[in-house]
């Protein structure tokens, strides 16, 4: 009777099923050993019970008329006796079977958390802030990937980017909370006025990065599913314009992160000055889209709301990017602090971004030293 339970465990990963089979074999084996020891007494008891309950006599009890009943009785007595014998020790047997076949330890879940915020450095504010800056740069990498994924998601029409955006935004939120909590603990330690203002500067930059994550994951990415579900496509010119504007915003973010890493105030001022150019270009793209609507272009009409929403949200992201640069400039003006550059060339992490925060492309045109650039020149 043990073989059925054993066969049932073949091909299964259920450890409970395998424990049942082990328990079945164990109980039956112990029971058989015990009854083998007392076989003669058990046999005599079964015969006597048959005489007591039937018309059998000592002379006829072993006849073919009574043997089948004795077999049935022996089987019943065997199992009832074993049940009564083992019931008081069920807990002990349970522990034994779990020891023989323990639960598989699940692989430890890797919990996302900060990598550079060391609580032991809180009493050394200068080092604590440098480590915090490394964590802010790590946060910037996640925001960079979010921004870069925008155009990839719409190009590939792949809703998996939406899920990835939500996951990245969750990580950005986690870093924001942990960095701000670290700053709160750092504020309770004694530090110079200069370090305190550096802490405040980074506090506000973290806030802007978190807002960028929200705009991408909550305002832009969900519209990928809307395009897919309704089988909509941008017009050729509209798609090119979205690519162009997204490219400028992505480049601008990369420059802002690089400016923050190096504490490059010159680059920060360029970003602030370029905000007006991007705003003017944004308005040109709006007018271009409206002209396509006037011409009755089908694709433009079908995707008009999505197209304008993406442009508007990209403009909002660029405003947040400009805020990062403005925060840096304001801090330098108030404190004269121009030397707090993070001594890091690489922030290791488990993400891959299509853009780089180390060698960002330039938004401003490259020119020879003797050439003058018109600050009011429109972007092509």
């Amino acid at each position: 009777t043990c073989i059925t339970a054993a066969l049932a465990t073949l091909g299964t990963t259920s450890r409970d099923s395998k424990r049942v089979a082990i328990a079945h074999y164990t109980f039956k084996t112990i029971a058989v050993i015990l009854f083998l020891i007392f076989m003669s007494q058990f046999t005599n008891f079964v015969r006597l019970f048959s005489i007591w309950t039937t018309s059998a006599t000592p002379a006829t009890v072993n006849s073919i008329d009574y043997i089948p009943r004795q077999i049935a009785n022996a089987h019943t007595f065997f199992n009832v006796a074993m049940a009564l014998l083992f019931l008081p020790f069920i807990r002990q047997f349970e522990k034994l079977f779990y020891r023989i076949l323990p639960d598989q330890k699940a692989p430890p879940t890797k919990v996302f958390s900060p990598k550079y915020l060391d609580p032991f450095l809180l009493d050394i504010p200068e080092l604590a802030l440098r480590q915090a800056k490394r964590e802010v740069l790590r946060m910037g990498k996640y925001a960079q990937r979010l921004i870069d994924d925008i155009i990839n998601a719409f190009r590939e029409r792949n809703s998996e980017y939406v899920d990835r955006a939500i996951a990245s935004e969750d990580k950005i939120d986690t870093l924001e909370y942990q960095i701000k909590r670290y700053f709160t603990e750092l504020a309770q330690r004694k530090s110079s006025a200069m370090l305190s203002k550096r802490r405040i500067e980074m506090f506000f930059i973290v806030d802007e990065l978190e807002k960028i994550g929200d705009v991408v994951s909550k305002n832009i990415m969900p519209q990928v599913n809307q395009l897919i579900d309704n089988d909509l496509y941008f017009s050729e010119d509209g798609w090119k314009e979205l690519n162009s504007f997204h490219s400028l915003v992505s480049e601008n973010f990369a420059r802002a992160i690089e400016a923050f890493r190096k504490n490059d105030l010159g680059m920060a001022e360029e970003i602030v000055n370029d905000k007006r150019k991007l705003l003017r270009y944004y308005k040109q793209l709006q007018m271009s889209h409206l002209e396509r609507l006037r011409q009755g272009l089908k694709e433009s009409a079908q995707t008009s709301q999505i197209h304008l929403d993406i442009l508007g949200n990209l403009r909002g992201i660029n405003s947040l990017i400009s805020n990062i640069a403005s925060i840096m400039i304001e801090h330098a003006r108030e404190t004269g602090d121009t030397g707090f550059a993070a001594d890091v060339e690489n922030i290791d992490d488990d993400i891959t971004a299509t853009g780089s925060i180390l060698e960002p492309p330039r938004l401003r045109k490259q020119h020879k030293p003797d050439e003058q650039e018109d600050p009011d020149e429109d972007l092509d």
Side-chain angles (χ1 to χ4, degrees), residues 238-267:
W239 176 242
K240 289 179 180 178
E241 291 173 2
L242 287 175
N243 270 273
S244 175
F245 195 59
H246 170 270
S247 178
L248 291 174
V249 173
S250 180
E251 291 170 9
N252 223 21
F253 181 81
R255 294 165 65 216
I257 294 298
E258 179 70 353
F260 171 66
R261 187 180 73 84
K262 291 182 176 180
N263 203 40
D264 188 334
L265 299 178
M267 188 182 292

PDB file of all heavy atoms in Angstrom, residues 238-267:
ATOM      1  N   GLY A 238       5.273  64.178 -37.040  1.00  0.00           N
ATOM      2  CA  GLY A 238       5.046  64.282 -35.600  1.00  0.00           C
ATOM      3  C   GLY A 238       6.027  63.424 -34.814  1.00  0.00           C
ATOM      4  O   GLY A 238       6.548  63.841 -33.776  1.00  0.00           O
ATOM      5  N   TRP A 239       6.286  62.210 -35.319  1.00  0.00           N
ATOM      6  CA  TRP A 239       7.226  61.308 -34.651  1.00  0.00           C
ATOM      7  C   TRP A 239       8.639  61.893 -34.660  1.00  0.00           C
ATOM      8  O   TRP A 239       9.356  61.830 -33.667  1.00  0.00           O
ATOM      9  CB  TRP A 239       7.186  59.948 -35.315  1.00  0.00           C
ATOM     10  CG  TRP A 239       8.179  58.971 -34.785  1.00  0.00           C
ATOM     11  CD1 TRP A 239       9.189  58.377 -35.467  1.00  0.00           C
ATOM     12  CD2 TRP A 239       8.272  58.480 -33.448  1.00  0.00           C
ATOM     13  NE1 TRP A 239       9.910  57.543 -34.648  1.00  0.00           N
ATOM     14  CE2 TRP A 239       9.363  57.584 -33.396  1.00  0.00           C
ATOM     15  CE3 TRP A 239       7.535  58.695 -32.288  1.00  0.00           C
ATOM     16  CZ2 TRP A 239       9.741  56.922 -32.235  1.00  0.00           C
ATOM     17  CZ3 TRP A 239       7.895  58.038 -31.121  1.00  0.00           C
ATOM     18  CH2 TRP A 239       8.991  57.159 -31.102  1.00  0.00           C
ATOM     19  N   LYS A 240       9.041  62.489 -35.783  1.00  0.00           N
ATOM     20  CA  LYS A 240      10.363  63.110 -35.857  1.00  0.00           C
ATOM     21  C   LYS A 240      10.488  64.257 -34.859  1.00  0.00           C
ATOM     22  O   LYS A 240      11.533  64.438 -34.223  1.00  0.00           O
ATOM     23  CB  LYS A 240      10.622  63.619 -37.285  1.00  0.00           C
ATOM     24  CG  LYS A 240      10.850  62.521 -38.308  1.00  0.00           C
ATOM     25  CD  LYS A 240      11.079  63.109 -39.694  1.00  0.00           C
ATOM     26  CE  LYS A 240      11.320  62.009 -40.720  1.00  0.00           C
ATOM     27  NZ  LYS A 240      11.503  62.572 -42.090  1.00  0.00           N
ATOM     28  N   GLU A 241       9.429  65.026 -34.722  1.00  0.00           N
ATOM     29  CA  GLU A 241       9.467  66.160 -33.791  1.00  0.00           C
ATOM     30  C   GLU A 241       9.548  65.687 -32.342  1.00  0.00           C
ATOM     31  O   GLU A 241      10.267  66.273 -31.526  1.00  0.00           O
ATOM     32  CB  GLU A 241       8.246  67.044 -34.014  1.00  0.00           C
ATOM     33  CG  GLU A 241       8.270  67.789 -35.342  1.00  0.00           C
ATOM     34  CD  GLU A 241       6.988  68.519 -35.633  1.00  0.00           C
ATOM     35  OE1 GLU A 241       6.072  68.478 -34.762  1.00  0.00           O
ATOM     36  OE2 GLU A 241       6.873  69.135 -36.708  1.00  0.00           O
ATOM     37  N   LEU A 242       8.791  64.637 -32.020  1.00  0.00           N
ATOM     38  CA  LEU A 242       8.875  64.087 -30.661  1.00  0.00           C
ATOM     39  C   LEU A 242      10.275  63.574 -30.374  1.00  0.00           C
ATOM     40  O   LEU A 242      10.821  63.792 -29.287  1.00  0.00           O
ATOM     41  CB  LEU A 242       7.861  62.951 -30.484  1.00  0.00           C
ATOM     42  CG  LEU A 242       6.385  63.345 -30.378  1.00  0.00           C
ATOM     43  CD1 LEU A 242       5.509  62.107 -30.333  1.00  0.00           C
ATOM     44  CD2 LEU A 242       6.141  64.211 -29.146  1.00  0.00           C
ATOM     45  N   ASN A 243      10.871  62.893 -31.351  1.00  0.00           N
ATOM     46  CA  ASN A 243      12.248  62.410 -31.202  1.00  0.00           C
ATOM     47  C   ASN A 243      13.205  63.557 -30.963  1.00  0.00           C
ATOM     48  O   ASN A 243      14.079  63.498 -30.099  1.00  0.00           O
ATOM     49  CB  ASN A 243      12.678  61.625 -32.449  1.00  0.00           C
ATOM     50  CG  ASN A 243      12.367  60.151 -32.356  1.00  0.00           C
ATOM     51  OD1 ASN A 243      13.157  59.370 -31.844  1.00  0.00           O
ATOM     52  ND2 ASN A 243      11.196  59.773 -32.841  1.00  0.00           N
ATOM     53  N   SER A 244      13.051  64.611 -31.758  1.00  0.00           N
ATOM     54  CA  SER A 244      13.960  65.758 -31.669  1.00  0.00           C
ATOM     55  C   SER A 244      13.861  66.425 -30.305  1.00  0.00           C
ATOM     56  O   SER A 244      14.883  66.702 -29.658  1.00  0.00           O
ATOM     57  CB  SER A 244      13.622  66.754 -32.775  1.00  0.00           C
ATOM     58  OG  SER A 244      14.400  67.931 -32.644  1.00  0.00           O
ATOM     59  N   PHE A 245      12.629  66.684 -29.847  1.00  0.00           N
ATOM     60  CA  PHE A 245      12.466  67.386 -28.576  1.00  0.00           C
ATOM     61  C   PHE A 245      12.911  66.502 -27.412  1.00  0.00           C
ATOM     62  O   PHE A 245      13.551  66.971 -26.465  1.00  0.00           O
ATOM     63  CB  PHE A 245      11.001  67.797 -28.400  1.00  0.00           C
ATOM     64  CG  PHE A 245      10.791  68.813 -27.318  1.00  0.00           C
ATOM     65  CD1 PHE A 245      11.426  70.044 -27.362  1.00  0.00           C
ATOM     66  CD2 PHE A 245       9.946  68.548 -26.247  1.00  0.00           C
ATOM     67  CE1 PHE A 245      11.235  70.985 -26.365  1.00  0.00           C
ATOM     68  CE2 PHE A 245       9.751  69.480 -25.258  1.00  0.00           C
ATOM     69  CZ  PHE A 245      10.392  70.706 -25.310  1.00  0.00           C
ATOM     70  N   HIS A 246      12.573  65.203 -27.486  1.00  0.00           N
ATOM     71  CA  HIS A 246      13.009  64.287 -26.441  1.00  0.00           C
ATOM     72  C   HIS A 246      14.526  64.231 -26.369  1.00  0.00           C
ATOM     73  O   HIS A 246      15.120  64.205 -25.284  1.00  0.00           O
ATOM     74  CB  HIS A 246      12.459  62.885 -26.708  1.00  0.00           C
ATOM     75  CG  HIS A 246      13.043  61.836 -25.823  1.00  0.00           C
ATOM     76  ND1 HIS A 246      14.176  61.117 -26.150  1.00  0.00           N
ATOM     77  CD2 HIS A 246      12.670  61.396 -24.577  1.00  0.00           C
ATOM     78  CE1 HIS A 246      14.471  60.285 -25.177  1.00  0.00           C
ATOM     79  NE2 HIS A 246      13.581  60.419 -24.216  1.00  0.00           N
ATOM     80  N   SER A 247      15.193  64.211 -27.518  1.00  0.00           N
ATOM     81  CA  SER A 247      16.652  64.152 -27.550  1.00  0.00           C
ATOM     82  C   SER A 247      17.263  65.358 -26.838  1.00  0.00           C
ATOM     83  O   SER A 247      18.213  65.224 -26.063  1.00  0.00           O
ATOM     84  CB  SER A 247      17.139  64.083 -28.994  1.00  0.00           C
ATOM     85  OG  SER A 247      18.544  64.081 -29.049  1.00  0.00           O
ATOM     86  N   LEU A 248      16.687  66.533 -27.075  1.00  0.00           N
ATOM     87  CA  LEU A 248      17.210  67.746 -26.427  1.00  0.00           C
ATOM     88  C   LEU A 248      17.017  67.690 -24.908  1.00  0.00           C
ATOM     89  O   LEU A 248      17.911  68.055 -24.144  1.00  0.00           O
ATOM     90  CB  LEU A 248      16.503  68.984 -26.995  1.00  0.00           C
ATOM     91  CG  LEU A 248      16.831  69.328 -28.448  1.00  0.00           C
ATOM     92  CD1 LEU A 248      15.944  70.475 -28.926  1.00  0.00           C
ATOM     93  CD2 LEU A 248      18.301  69.684 -28.598  1.00  0.00           C
ATOM     94  N   VAL A 249      15.841  67.218 -24.481  1.00  0.00           N
ATOM     95  CA  VAL A 249      15.578  67.130 -23.044  1.00  0.00           C
ATOM     96  C   VAL A 249      16.492  66.099 -22.390  1.00  0.00           C
ATOM     97  O   VAL A 249      17.046  66.335 -21.303  1.00  0.00           O
ATOM     98  CB  VAL A 249      14.091  66.781 -22.796  1.00  0.00           C
ATOM     99  CG1 VAL A 249      13.840  66.507 -21.312  1.00  0.00           C
ATOM    100  CG2 VAL A 249      13.188  67.907 -23.278  1.00  0.00           C
ATOM    101  N   SER A 250      16.678  64.943 -23.047  1.00  0.00           N
ATOM    102  CA  SER A 250      17.548  63.909 -22.504  1.00  0.00           C
ATOM    103  C   SER A 250      18.985  64.405 -22.398  1.00  0.00           C
ATOM    104  O   SER A 250      19.671  64.171 -21.391  1.00  0.00           O
ATOM    105  CB  SER A 250      17.482  62.657 -23.386  1.00  0.00           C
ATOM    106  OG  SER A 250      18.312  61.644 -22.880  1.00  0.00           O
ATOM    107  N   GLU A 251      19.458  65.102 -23.433  1.00  0.00           N
ATOM    108  CA  GLU A 251      20.807  65.661 -23.405  1.00  0.00           C
ATOM    109  C   GLU A 251      20.941  66.688 -22.286  1.00  0.00           C
ATOM    110  O   GLU A 251      21.961  66.755 -21.592  1.00  0.00           O
ATOM    111  CB  GLU A 251      21.123  66.308 -24.754  1.00  0.00           C
ATOM    112  CG  GLU A 251      21.273  65.320 -25.895  1.00  0.00           C
ATOM    113  CD  GLU A 251      21.350  66.007 -27.243  1.00  0.00           C
ATOM    114  OE1 GLU A 251      21.459  67.255 -27.269  1.00  0.00           O
ATOM    115  OE2 GLU A 251      21.302  65.303 -28.261  1.00  0.00           O
ATOM    116  N   ASN A 252      19.901  67.484 -22.113  1.00  0.00           N
ATOM    117  CA  ASN A 252      19.934  68.519 -21.085  1.00  0.00           C
ATOM    118  C   ASN A 252      20.018  67.899 -19.696  1.00  0.00           C
ATOM    119  O   ASN A 252      20.719  68.403 -18.811  1.00  0.00           O
ATOM    120  CB  ASN A 252      18.686  69.384 -21.194  1.00  0.00           C
ATOM    121  CG  ASN A 252      19.005  70.862 -21.056  1.00  0.00           C
ATOM    122  OD1 ASN A 252      20.142  71.286 -21.259  1.00  0.00           O
ATOM    123  ND2 ASN A 252      18.007  71.650 -20.718  1.00  0.00           N
ATOM    124  N   PHE A 253      19.301  66.799 -19.499  1.00  0.00           N
ATOM    125  CA  PHE A 253      19.363  66.138 -18.196  1.00  0.00           C
ATOM    126  C   PHE A 253      20.759  65.586 -17.942  1.00  0.00           C
ATOM    127  O   PHE A 253      21.294  65.696 -16.837  1.00  0.00           O
ATOM    128  CB  PHE A 253      18.343  65.005 -18.119  1.00  0.00           C
ATOM    129  CG  PHE A 253      18.340  64.295 -16.796  1.00  0.00           C
ATOM    130  CD1 PHE A 253      17.672  64.831 -15.710  1.00  0.00           C
ATOM    131  CD2 PHE A 253      19.028  63.101 -16.632  1.00  0.00           C
ATOM    132  CE1 PHE A 253      17.685  64.192 -14.476  1.00  0.00           C
ATOM    133  CE2 PHE A 253      19.039  62.449 -15.404  1.00  0.00           C
ATOM    134  CZ  PHE A 253      18.375  63.002 -14.319  1.00  0.00           C
ATOM    135  N   ALA A 254      21.351  64.973 -18.981  1.00  0.00           N
ATOM    136  CA  ALA A 254      22.699  64.435 -18.832  1.00  0.00           C
ATOM    137  C   ALA A 254      23.678  65.541 -18.469  1.00  0.00           C
ATOM    138  O   ALA A 254      24.562  65.359 -17.628  1.00  0.00           O
ATOM    139  CB  ALA A 254      23.128  63.735 -20.120  1.00  0.00           C
ATOM    140  N   ARG A 255      23.520  66.701 -19.087  1.00  0.00           N
ATOM    141  CA  ARG A 255      24.397  67.837 -18.774  1.00  0.00           C
ATOM    142  C   ARG A 255      24.193  68.319 -17.339  1.00  0.00           C
ATOM    143  O   ARG A 255      25.148  68.672 -16.644  1.00  0.00           O
ATOM    144  CB  ARG A 255      24.135  68.981 -19.753  1.00  0.00           C
ATOM    145  CG  ARG A 255      24.517  68.665 -21.190  1.00  0.00           C
ATOM    146  CD  ARG A 255      23.915  69.678 -22.150  1.00  0.00           C
ATOM    147  NE  ARG A 255      24.471  71.009 -21.941  1.00  0.00           N
ATOM    148  CZ  ARG A 255      23.780  72.141 -22.050  1.00  0.00           C
ATOM    149  NH1 ARG A 255      22.497  72.100 -22.350  1.00  0.00           N
ATOM    150  NH2 ARG A 255      24.358  73.296 -21.862  1.00  0.00           N
ATOM    151  N   ALA A 256      22.924  68.318 -16.901  1.00  0.00           N
ATOM    152  CA  ALA A 256      22.639  68.780 -15.540  1.00  0.00           C
ATOM    153  C   ALA A 256      23.277  67.862 -14.504  1.00  0.00           C
ATOM    154  O   ALA A 256      23.844  68.326 -13.503  1.00  0.00           O
ATOM    155  CB  ALA A 256      21.135  68.866 -15.317  1.00  0.00           C
ATOM    156  N   ILE A 257      23.191  66.550 -14.732  1.00  0.00           N
ATOM    157  CA  ILE A 257      23.799  65.603 -13.803  1.00  0.00           C
ATOM    158  C   ILE A 257      25.313  65.733 -13.810  1.00  0.00           C
ATOM    159  O   ILE A 257      25.976  65.672 -12.762  1.00  0.00           O
ATOM    160  CB  ILE A 257      23.366  64.161 -14.146  1.00  0.00           C
ATOM    161  CG1 ILE A 257      21.874  63.997 -13.921  1.00  0.00           C
ATOM    162  CG2 ILE A 257      24.142  63.151 -13.306  1.00  0.00           C
ATOM    163  CD1 ILE A 257      21.427  64.207 -12.488  1.00  0.00           C
ATOM    164  N   GLU A 258      25.879  65.949 -15.007  1.00  0.00           N
ATOM    165  CA  GLU A 258      27.324  66.127 -15.092  1.00  0.00           C
ATOM    166  C   GLU A 258      27.758  67.425 -14.398  1.00  0.00           C
ATOM    167  O   GLU A 258      28.789  67.460 -13.715  1.00  0.00           O
ATOM    168  CB  GLU A 258      27.753  66.134 -16.560  1.00  0.00           C
ATOM    169  CG  GLU A 258      29.233  66.338 -16.791  1.00  0.00           C
ATOM    170  CD  GLU A 258      30.066  65.151 -16.356  1.00  0.00           C
ATOM    171  OE1 GLU A 258      29.523  64.213 -15.759  1.00  0.00           O
ATOM    172  OE2 GLU A 258      31.287  65.165 -16.608  1.00  0.00           O
ATOM    173  N   ALA A 259      26.963  68.462 -14.580  1.00  0.00           N
ATOM    174  CA  ALA A 259      27.270  69.726 -13.907  1.00  0.00           C
ATOM    175  C   ALA A 259      27.219  69.554 -12.393  1.00  0.00           C
ATOM    176  O   ALA A 259      28.070  70.080 -11.660  1.00  0.00           O
ATOM    177  CB  ALA A 259      26.277  70.808 -14.350  1.00  0.00           C
ATOM    178  N   PHE A 260      26.247  68.796 -11.924  1.00  0.00           N
ATOM    179  CA  PHE A 260      26.143  68.544 -10.486  1.00  0.00           C
ATOM    180  C   PHE A 260      27.324  67.721  -9.996  1.00  0.00           C
ATOM    181  O   PHE A 260      27.884  67.987  -8.935  1.00  0.00           O
ATOM    182  CB  PHE A 260      24.827  67.835 -10.192  1.00  0.00           C
ATOM    183  CG  PHE A 260      24.695  67.337  -8.782  1.00  0.00           C
ATOM    184  CD1 PHE A 260      24.624  68.222  -7.716  1.00  0.00           C
ATOM    185  CD2 PHE A 260      24.652  65.974  -8.513  1.00  0.00           C
ATOM    186  CE1 PHE A 260      24.509  67.766  -6.411  1.00  0.00           C
ATOM    187  CE2 PHE A 260      24.539  65.512  -7.216  1.00  0.00           C
ATOM    188  CZ  PHE A 260      24.466  66.406  -6.166  1.00  0.00           C
ATOM    189  N   ARG A 261      27.703  66.705 -10.771  1.00  0.00           N
ATOM    190  CA  ARG A 261      28.822  65.858 -10.355  1.00  0.00           C
ATOM    191  C   ARG A 261      30.108  66.660 -10.220  1.00  0.00           C
ATOM    192  O   ARG A 261      30.854  66.512  -9.256  1.00  0.00           O
ATOM    193  CB  ARG A 261      29.023  64.715 -11.354  1.00  0.00           C
ATOM    194  CG  ARG A 261      30.049  63.686 -10.908  1.00  0.00           C
ATOM    195  CD  ARG A 261      30.214  62.589 -11.924  1.00  0.00           C
ATOM    196  NE  ARG A 261      30.937  63.033 -13.101  1.00  0.00           N
ATOM    197  CZ  ARG A 261      32.268  63.075 -13.176  1.00  0.00           C
ATOM    198  NH1 ARG A 261      33.009  62.715 -12.136  1.00  0.00           N
ATOM    199  NH2 ARG A 261      32.863  63.479 -14.273  1.00  0.00           N
ATOM    200  N   LYS A 262      30.378  67.515 -11.206  1.00  0.00           N
ATOM    201  CA  LYS A 262      31.621  68.282 -11.219  1.00  0.00           C
ATOM    202  C   LYS A 262      31.501  69.631 -10.501  1.00  0.00           C
ATOM    203  O   LYS A 262      32.488  70.349 -10.365  1.00  0.00           O
ATOM    204  CB  LYS A 262      32.050  68.546 -12.663  1.00  0.00           C
ATOM    205  CG  LYS A 262      32.500  67.308 -13.415  1.00  0.00           C
ATOM    206  CD  LYS A 262      32.952  67.689 -14.819  1.00  0.00           C
ATOM    207  CE  LYS A 262      33.498  66.491 -15.578  1.00  0.00           C
ATOM    208  NZ  LYS A 262      33.930  66.866 -16.949  1.00  0.00           N
ATOM    209  N   ASN A 263      30.277  69.953 -10.106  1.00  0.00           N
ATOM    210  CA  ASN A 263      29.991  71.296  -9.584  1.00  0.00           C
ATOM    211  C   ASN A 263      30.413  72.347 -10.612  1.00  0.00           C
ATOM    212  O   ASN A 263      31.025  73.358 -10.296  1.00  0.00           O
ATOM    213  CB  ASN A 263      30.685  71.541  -8.246  1.00  0.00           C
ATOM    214  CG  ASN A 263      29.981  72.636  -7.448  1.00  0.00           C
ATOM    215  OD1 ASN A 263      28.759  72.684  -7.437  1.00  0.00           O
ATOM    216  ND2 ASN A 263      30.747  73.505  -6.817  1.00  0.00           N
ATOM    217  N   ASP A 264      30.062  72.087 -11.871  1.00  0.00           N
ATOM    218  CA  ASP A 264      30.412  72.956 -12.989  1.00  0.00           C
ATOM    219  C   ASP A 264      29.343  74.037 -13.121  1.00  0.00           C
ATOM    220  O   ASP A 264      28.288  73.833 -13.744  1.00  0.00           O
ATOM    221  CB  ASP A 264      30.500  72.113 -14.270  1.00  0.00           C
ATOM    222  CG  ASP A 264      31.045  72.895 -15.444  1.00  0.00           C
ATOM    223  OD1 ASP A 264      30.899  74.131 -15.458  1.00  0.00           O
ATOM    224  OD2 ASP A 264      31.611  72.261 -16.357  1.00  0.00           O
ATOM    225  N   LEU A 265      29.619  75.212 -12.555  1.00  0.00           N
ATOM    226  CA  LEU A 265      28.626  76.285 -12.558  1.00  0.00           C
ATOM    227  C   LEU A 265      28.447  76.879 -13.945  1.00  0.00           C
ATOM    228  O   LEU A 265      27.370  77.372 -14.287  1.00  0.00           O
ATOM    229  CB  LEU A 265      29.030  77.366 -11.557  1.00  0.00           C
ATOM    230  CG  LEU A 265      29.121  76.901 -10.102  1.00  0.00           C
ATOM    231  CD1 LEU A 265      29.573  78.042  -9.201  1.00  0.00           C
ATOM    232  CD2 LEU A 265      27.784  76.355  -9.630  1.00  0.00           C
ATOM    233  N   GLY A 266      29.516  76.837 -14.761  1.00  0.00           N
ATOM    234  CA  GLY A 266      29.400  77.332 -16.133  1.00  0.00           C
ATOM    235  C   GLY A 266      28.388  76.522 -16.921  1.00  0.00           C
ATOM    236  O   GLY A 266      27.536  77.074 -17.629  1.00  0.00           O
ATOM    237  N   MET A 267      28.464  75.193 -16.784  1.00  0.00           N
ATOM    238  CA  MET A 267      27.505  74.329 -17.465  1.00  0.00           C
ATOM    239  C   MET A 267      26.105  74.534 -16.910  1.00  0.00           C
ATOM    240  O   MET A 267      25.119  74.513 -17.649  1.00  0.00           O
ATOM    241  CB  MET A 267      27.915  72.862 -17.331  1.00  0.00           C
ATOM    242  CG  MET A 267      27.086  71.905 -18.174  1.00  0.00           C
ATOM    243  SD  MET A 267      27.563  70.158 -17.963  1.00  0.00           S
ATOM    244  CE  MET A 267      29.204  70.178 -18.722  1.00  0.00           C
TER     245      MET A 267
END
